[in-house]
Amino acid sequence: LVGAALYGATLSLGIWARSVWDLVVIVAFGGVGMSLFWLMAEAAIAEGATGRVLSRRMGIFNISWSVGDVAGMAVSGALYDVWGRLPFVMIVVVMAALVVVLAFARRAKVEEVPPPQNLDEREMLEVPRSVNARFTRAAWVGNFTGAGVMGVVRSLFAAPATDIFRMSGAVYGLAIGTVCVFRTLTFWLLTHWRNWHYRKGVYLATSSLLAAGMAGITVAAVMPHVPGMVLVFVSFAAAGVAMGMMYYSSLFYSVHTEALPESGTRLHEAVVGAGGTAAVLASGGVGQLVRNASGAFATLGAFALVSPFALCAVTAAAGVVTSWCFITGRLGGKDMLEETAPACYPDRGVQAPKS
């Protein structure tokens, strides 16, 4: 309740913001509010669940917040065309309603849900701790880059959207919403796909779409208007699929251990926050350097505005290589090779080494 109230109250101050630094402070305190309820929700969802049940719970949770993200992007883009501060008014209304719902929900009688009777539903995805450690670290790398790219898209795409692609606020909202839509569809697919867990090829191939998407944004800047716009939406769709796999994997592998769910969710979300912060700072700095250089080299042209996305493409590709090194045991140290129990999926190239 306190977290939700703080989140809404601080972001509502954006209505009266007069400078970039006003927004920096507002968003920082809004992040504190979100951290008070987001991690608690993840840990509560993971509590007492294993195997397929855990995967399904994670899927429903991810679909829930991602659908809200889609709606928020689309609606706020249209509201921005009416009045630039109207999206902040929407935040006040939504969060106030949420606080009221939470206040009533905490008093509601909750019936205990019986454990699943179907053996298939209770099936535990048995893998050695070494395998879980490899995939967890690989997914954290992917989540770091995915969160970073999402931060860059949200923060820095506005400039090329208006100056290069000539988007209105509504079209801009749809473009960013495309990332969220395909991320949501990926969440839905992973919720219903039984055997995607701990599969090296599936994870690496899907993660590679993030680098391809960011490269597509860079190329679209030098294309004619209509083909460039099409490529923007296709690129954002590819990035959304990759982000869905990265976030879902990071959260699932983090709690699919013998450790307390709270520990896993804290580390998972810490990676998200660190990735978003580092990528936006680095990309903003690179963008400024390229814009400064474009004064001396006029041939840089539109690339000055999309240079952050070129940097994201390179970073995302490096992230895929690093994830591959973790999964295959080339990174991570000897602690990842201590477990010698056979893995459940011997055909996936991730079984523990023999004694």
Side-chain angles (χ1 to χ4, degrees), residues 144-341:
F144 182 88
T145 57
V149 169
M150 192 68 213
V152 172
V153 169
R154 290 184 190 275
S155 305
L156 302 179
F157 184 66
T162 54
D163 296 345
I164 297 177
F165 303 111
R166 301 191 297 277
M167 294 181 179
S168 64
V171 175
Y172 172 79
L174 290 175
I176 305 299
T178 299
V179 180
C180 305
V181 167
F182 278 84
R183 183 186 60 204
T184 305
L185 291 175
T186 304
F187 287 157
W188 180 88
L189 175 62
L190 296 179
T191 302
H192 293 83
W193 183 7
R194 292 170 46 83
N195 297 318
W196 64 269
H197 315 85
Y198 299 104
R199 296 181 68 173
K200 176 178 64 176
V202 171
Y203 180 80
L204 294 177
T206 309
S207 301
S208 299
L209 293 175
L210 185 62
M214 292 303 99
I217 298 296
T218 307
V219 173
V222 297
M223 294 177 63
H225 180 67
V226 174
M229 286 284 287
V230 172
L231 183 57
V232 166
F233 278 87
V234 172
S235 298
F236 277 158
V241 173
M243 291 176 190
M245 171 62 80
M246 291 169 169
Y247 187 90
Y248 199 134
S249 297
S250 176
L251 181 55
F252 180 84
Y253 296 140
S254 295
V255 299
H256 191 237
T257 65
E258 298 174 357
L260 291 174
E262 290 86 347
S263 301
T265 56
R266 282 199 299 267
L267 290 171
H268 158 77
E269 290 298 338
V271 170
V272 174
T277 302
V280 173
L281 290 175
S283 298
V286 169
Q288 187 62 52
L289 289 174
V290 175
R291 282 193 294 274
N292 293 340
S294 65
F297 302 96
T299 54
L300 290 175
F303 182 72
L305 293 178
V306 295
S307 56
F309 300 93
L311 176 63
C312 285
V314 175
T315 303
V320 173
V321 174
T322 305
S323 294
W324 174 79
C325 290
F326 273 126
I327 292 175
T328 56
R330 288 168 171 79
L331 286 177
K334 295 182 179 180
D335 63 299
M336 302 175 70
L337 303 176
E338 292 175 353
E339 179 68 45
T340 58

